[in-house]
Amino acid sequence: MGFFFMIAEYFTSASYDRKGARPFLWDRLKRLGVPLLAFLLPIRPLTGFGGYADLGAAFAEHVQSLPYCLYYVSSWDAGPLWFVEALLVFAVLYALVRRRALHPCPPPWCTPPARLRRGGRP
């Protein structure tokens, strides 16, 4: 799996350089976020119902008060799309780091006084 992450990073840096921060993130949200939501919203509730039924059989007295929607939210799992979820998180982190590296905020003690910034004499 590490090899696939390496390949994704190789193409991520070129895509960010070509598009910039905002179009890069928008493209990643479309390419990775839409399939992730398409799995998490309609498909995962159907596949996770078996785990809820097994939990209900094991802990019948406690789970009867737990509705399925709370079980679904508390057992957050991207399932087979964990790689897509990780790529989306890493793409957002990459964009934040690159944006911060291109526009660093200097600490206040490194900023020269106003009279020196203008280039004039005191």
Side-chain angles (χ1 to χ4, degrees):
M1 291 312 299
F3 181 68
F4 291 124
F5 279 113
M6 185 183 73
I7 291 172
E9 190 281 327
Y10 177 77
F11 291 112
T12 296
S13 60
S15 177
Y16 184 90
D17 290 340
R18 186 175 59 252
K19 295 176 185 175
R22 187 169 293 186
F24 169 77
L25 286 176
W26 182 248
D27 182 56
R28 291 293 171 236
L29 281 174
K30 285 191 302 188
R31 290 177 184 260
L32 300 173
V34 170
L36 184 63
L37 284 177
F39 173 77
L40 288 177
L41 296 179
I43 298 172
R44 186 178 171 270
L46 299 174
T47 61
F49 195 72
Y52 179 71
D54 290 343
L55 186 67
F59 304 102
E61 65 276 356
H62 300 293
V63 177
Q64 289 176 354
S65 62
L66 179 70
Y68 180 68
C69 60
L70 291 178
Y71 168 77
Y72 176 75
V73 171
S74 65
S75 66
W76 182 264
D77 182 24
L81 292 180
W82 68 269
F83 187 75
V84 172
E85 181 184 31
L87 283 178
L88 188 60
V89 169
F90 290 147
V92 169
L93 290 175
Y94 182 81
L96 289 174
V97 167
R98 282 285 303 264
R99 187 171 177 92
R100 182 71 176 163
L102 292 177
H103 305 291
C105 255
W109 60 85
C110 291
T111 306
R115 61 186 171 84
L116 295 177
R117 277 187 277 163
R118 283 184 269 142
R121 297 178 61 88

